[in-house]
């Protein structure tokens, strides 16, 4: 469908309007993610530009939109704090991009399939809760220190609960009113009533939230000065006006950090989380794509790696494929990669020539958008859904959430993975062998793969076989039986006559059943 340039021209009338919608969704998110990350707001715009102008062509996906992601805000914030400077962090982004390119060449695109869904959803839910905790002070206009609003981002998620309670006490009326109404607009725009109207569906909720904030503040300055929002609570982007000024705003990484070992652990963390988020987003986009195209995952890793190397080299945040922007692209009728590219062009034009107007946006509007994003990631329904799936799903999910909130993202995911694998092994452990009893007749069935991990369970079942009974051991459905299992069966067969147990073997060659060396 899209292998020839004519295909792009054919769908131009659908891709250009979709690109406008994606731009309107992406602009506040680029600023909001940078704000939540404790990074310069301009770094979020740079990441959005790289995602739109570069990754859209390097990617194998026609409809995926890349840019700064809410899922990385916690890592970025903690990394900047750990390294003590944004320049050092940029170097870790470049290294992370290099790692992603290597993963692409190593064909690691299947890596997402090895992470249990409960752990991935737990990671997203924890990020959602952290976004809510971190953005509440911006939504209430609370200042954690004299330096202003952005300096609030100075604690880990674990210790932010204290600031959260203070933020609810230190409310600024004008800022709070803007964020509450903006949140109400965003919620209303998700309602079934609004979705019934096609014309309203074409207008992004985040854009309306931003328009409301700008309009309210403009009115307040004239009529209600006590409710007007101060400059420190507004977006602050440099007014560029020319391409030369834009180039002057770009920042190089601080290469003196090469000797700092923390750089490498942060780079690995960014590479892993960004790759996972990208692969999950790509999978979701493929399902939403009306033409059912399947994006090559290894090429996607290379494209994202290239994007992160470029973004880090010019002062941008790390990027991933983002499901929020991608789904907005698809819902707006996007057909090819041109819609994503066009959104990047619009981002470039807006920061070059319209920064004056962007600086009228209250941070409270961006906080409201991120609060809604946080709620979507951590909505109560998700906890209920996993609870209904049973403890095997619920416990890894909840433990991942709690571990990330109490430690950090990477440690939390590692704990969640360990818990997830424990339940997977436990489920397979019980599914591999079953014992059925009917009076004096017992059936011990070996299913599919029976490894040495099942030896303890096998011994337990063999001990449960009553004396003076008949036992049929059926291995006909087993594709693999470990030597340890065969030895355990051999040992039992030697001891069975002493207990009056008659053993019959089915589906296992008798010559393979050999007792252990002690016999």
């Amino acid at each position: 469908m899209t292998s020839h340039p004519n295909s792009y021209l054919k769908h131009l009338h659908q891709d250009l309007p979709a690109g406008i919608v994606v731009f309107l969704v992406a602009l506040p998110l680029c600023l909001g993610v940078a704000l939540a990350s404790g990074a310069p707001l301009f770094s979020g715009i740079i990441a959005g530009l790289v995602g739109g102008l570069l990754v859209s062509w390097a990617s194998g996906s026609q409809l995926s939109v890349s840019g700064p992601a809410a899922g990385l805000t916690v890592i970025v914030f903690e990394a900047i704090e750990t390294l003590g400077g944004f320049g050092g962090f940029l170097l870790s982004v470049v290294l992370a991009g290099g790692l992603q390119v290597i993963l692409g060449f190593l064909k690691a695109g299947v890596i997402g399939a090895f992470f249990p869904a409960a752990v991935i959803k737990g990671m997203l839910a924890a990020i959602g809760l952290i976004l809510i905790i971190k953005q509440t002070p911006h939504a209430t206009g609370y200042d954690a220190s004299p330096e202003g609003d952005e300096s609030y981002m100075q604690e880990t998620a674990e210790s932010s609960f204290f600031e959260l309670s203070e933020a609810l006490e230190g409310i600024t009326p004008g800022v709070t009113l803007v964020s509450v109404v903006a949140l109400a607009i965003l919620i209303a725009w998700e309602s079934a009533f609004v979705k019934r109207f096609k014309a309203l569906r074409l207008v992004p909720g985040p854009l309306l939230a931003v328009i409301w904030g700008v309009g309210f503040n403009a009115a307040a300055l004239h009529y209600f000065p006590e409710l007007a929002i101060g400059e420190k609570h507004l977006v602050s982007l440099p007014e560029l006006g020319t391409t030369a000024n834009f180039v002057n705003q770009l920042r190089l990484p601080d290469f003196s950090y090469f000797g700092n070992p923390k750089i490498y652990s942060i780079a690995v963390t960014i590479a892993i989380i960004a790759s996972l988020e990208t692969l999950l987003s790509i999978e979701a986009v493929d399902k939403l794509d009306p033409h059912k195209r399947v994006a090559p995952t290894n090429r996607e890793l290379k494209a994202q790696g290239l994007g992160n190397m470029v973004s880090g080299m010019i002062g941008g945040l790390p990027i991933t494929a983002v499901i929020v922007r991608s789904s907005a692209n698809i819902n707006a009728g996007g057909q090819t990669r041109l819609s994503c590219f066009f959104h990047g062009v619009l981002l470039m034009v807006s920061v070059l020539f319209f920064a004056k107007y962007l600086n009228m946006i209250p941070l409270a509007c961006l906080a409201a958008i991120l609060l809604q994003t946080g709620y979507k990631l951590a909505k109560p329904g998700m906890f209920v859904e996993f609870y209904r799936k049973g403890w095997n799903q619920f416990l890894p999910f909840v433990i991942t959430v709690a571990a990330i909130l109490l430690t950090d993202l990477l440690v939390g995911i590692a704990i969640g993975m360990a818990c997830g694998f424990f339940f997977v092994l436990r489920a397979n452990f019980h599914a591999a062998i079953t014992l059925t009893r009917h009076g004096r007749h017992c059936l011990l069935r070996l299913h599919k793969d029976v490894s040495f991990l099942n030896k303890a369970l096998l011994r337990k079942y063999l001990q449960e076989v009553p004396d003076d009974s008949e036992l049929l051991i059926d291995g006909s459905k087993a594709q693999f039986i470990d030597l340890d299992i065969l030895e355990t069966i051999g040992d039992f067969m030697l001891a069975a006559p002493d207990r009056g147990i008659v053993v019959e073997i089915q589906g296992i060659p008798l010559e393979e059943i050999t007792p252990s060396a002690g016999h």
Side-chain angles (χ1 to χ4, degrees):
M1 173 191 166
T2 55
S3 58
H4 195 274
N6 286 344
S7 298
Y8 294 120
L9 295 174
K10 177 185 169 186
H11 295 286
L12 202 59
H13 68 287
Q14 293 165 294
D15 287 332
L16 292 185
I20 294 171
V21 171
V22 176
F23 159 71
L24 296 173
V25 171
L27 178 62
L29 284 174
C30 286
L31 295 169
V33 169
L35 177 72
S37 304
L41 294 185
F42 199 64
S43 64
I45 297 291
I46 291 171
L49 288 174
V50 173
L53 300 177
L54 175 65
V55 179
S56 60
W57 296 105
S59 167
S61 173
Q62 290 288 342
L63 297 176
S64 172
V65 181
S66 297
L72 290 171
T73 52
V74 182
I75 298 172
V76 175
F77 169 70
E78 290 181 355
I80 295 170
E81 289 285 306
T82 301
L83 296 170
F86 190 60
F89 167 72
L90 291 177
L91 182 60
S92 67
V93 176
V94 175
L95 293 173
L99 282 173
Q100 284 183 289
V101 172
I102 292 169
L103 286 173
F105 279 109
L106 292 175
K107 302 191 183 303
V110 296
I111 193 172
F114 292 98
F115 281 73
V119 175
I120 297 296
K121 293 283 180 69
M123 175 191 82
L124 294 172
I127 288 166
L129 290 172
I130 291 170
L131 277 176
I132 292 168
I133 294 165
K134 291 289 188 187
Q135 291 308 307
T136 301
H138 292 300
T140 61
Y142 167 71
D143 295 325
S145 65
E147 286 78 29
D149 206 40
E150 286 179 58
S151 63
Y152 163 74
M153 299 295 183
Q154 60 193 351
E155 303 290 341
T156 61
E158 178 187 358
S159 56
S160 289
F161 288 101
F162 177 68
E163 273 85 358
L164 177 63
S165 62
E166 283 195 343
L168 295 173
E169 292 171 16
I171 287 174
T172 305
V175 174
T176 307
L177 179 61
V178 166
S179 58
V180 168
V181 175
L183 202 53
I185 291 169
L186 292 166
I187 293 167
W189 229 244
E190 297 277 316
S191 69
F193 176 76
V194 170
K195 286 181 177 178
R196 287 199 330 229
F197 303 98
K198 190 176 180 181
L200 293 179
R201 286 207 309 267
L202 292 174
V203 183
L207 174 66
L208 285 179
V210 166
I211 290 172
W212 146 253
V214 173
F216 170 83
N217 201 38
L221 286 167
H222 284 91
Y223 305 110
F224 319 104
E226 67 279 4
L227 290 178
I229 297 171
E231 277 190 27
K232 66 181 178 181
H233 295 294
L234 299 175
V235 165
S236 177
L237 288 173
E239 292 184 31
L240 303 173
T242 66
T243 309
N245 287 346
F246 175 79
V247 172
N248 290 335
Q249 286 295 321
L250 304 181
R251 294 182 59 175
L252 281 171
D254 187 343
F255 294 103
S256 67
Y257 276 82
F258 262 125
N260 187 337
K262 292 176 183 175
I263 281 286
Y264 303 100
S265 63
I266 289 168
V268 170
T269 306
I270 293 171
I272 291 172
I273 304 302
S275 298
L276 274 175
E277 189 157 342
T278 289
L279 293 170
L280 291 168
S281 296
I282 288 293
E283 191 176 326
V285 169
D286 287 346
K287 288 176 183 173
L288 294 172
D289 184 356
H291 301 286
K292 300 302 172 192
R293 292 164 290 195
V294 178
T297 52
N298 295 319
R299 176 176 168 180
E300 191 63 34
L301 286 179
K302 295 173 194 172
Q304 296 294 333
L306 175 65
N308 275 321
M309 289 172 76
V310 172
S311 185
M313 284 299 292
I314 61 176
L317 292 175
I319 61 176
T320 72
V322 190
I323 190 58
V324 174
R325 273 157 265 187
S326 302
S327 57
N329 184 23
I330 294 165
N331 292 336
Q335 300 293 313
T336 75
R337 63 181 82 245
L338 267 183
S339 57
C340 178
F341 176 75
F342 186 52
H343 115 273
V345 172
L346 289 174
L347 272 177
M348 172 75 85
V349 171
S350 69
V351 295
L352 271 176
F353 305 110
F354 301 109
K356 175 184 175 182
Y357 301 103
L358 299 181
N359 287 343
M360 296 166 67
I361 301 172
L363 293 175
C365 295
L366 306 182
I369 292 166
L370 287 163
L371 284 171
Q372 189 201 30
T373 304
Y375 176 79
K376 283 181 177 178
L377 290 172
K379 53 188 172 187
M382 188 183 292
F383 287 80
V384 174
E385 177 192 334
F386 273 95
Y387 179 74
R388 285 176 177 163
K389 286 181 178 178
W391 293 108
N392 283 4
Q393 292 290 314
F394 184 64
L395 279 180
F397 172 75
V398 170
I399 288 169
T400 302
V401 172
I404 290 172
L405 288 174
L406 296 173
T407 57
D408 61 44
L409 204 60
L410 197 60
V411 172
I413 287 173
I415 293 171
M417 286 292 290
C419 179
F421 281 135
F422 168 77
F423 280 100
V424 168
L425 286 173
R426 186 168 168 266
N428 290 340
F429 181 76
H430 284 286
I433 306 174
T434 55
L435 176 66
T436 308
R437 292 168 58 180
H438 183 72
R440 292 181 60 254
H441 303 280
C442 300
L443 169 63
L444 185 77
R445 184 166 276 157
L446 310 182
H447 303 272
K448 210 172 178 183
D449 298 334
V450 189
S451 72
F452 70 94
L453 294 171
N454 302 107
K455 188 161 70 169
L457 181 66
L458 175 62
R459 285 178 173 168
K460 173 177 172 288
Y461 283 156
L462 291 174
Q463 286 173 0
E464 290 176 6
V465 176
D467 294 346
D468 303 315
S469 62
E470 295 178 12
L471 172 65
L472 170 61
I473 300 177
D474 181 8
S476 55
K477 290 187 178 180
Q479 294 179 5
F480 166 78
I481 303 176
D482 193 274
L483 183 62
D484 283 14
I485 298 295
L486 294 171
E487 283 189 350
T488 303
I489 293 172
D491 292 344
F492 177 80
M493 288 176 69
L494 286 176
D498 296 337
R499 294 174 54 193
I501 298 172
V502 178
V503 181
E504 183 185 342
I505 303 294
Q506 185 175 306
I508 309 173
L510 288 173
E511 61 270 15
E512 290 184 10
I513 302 176
T514 53
S516 54
H519 295 94

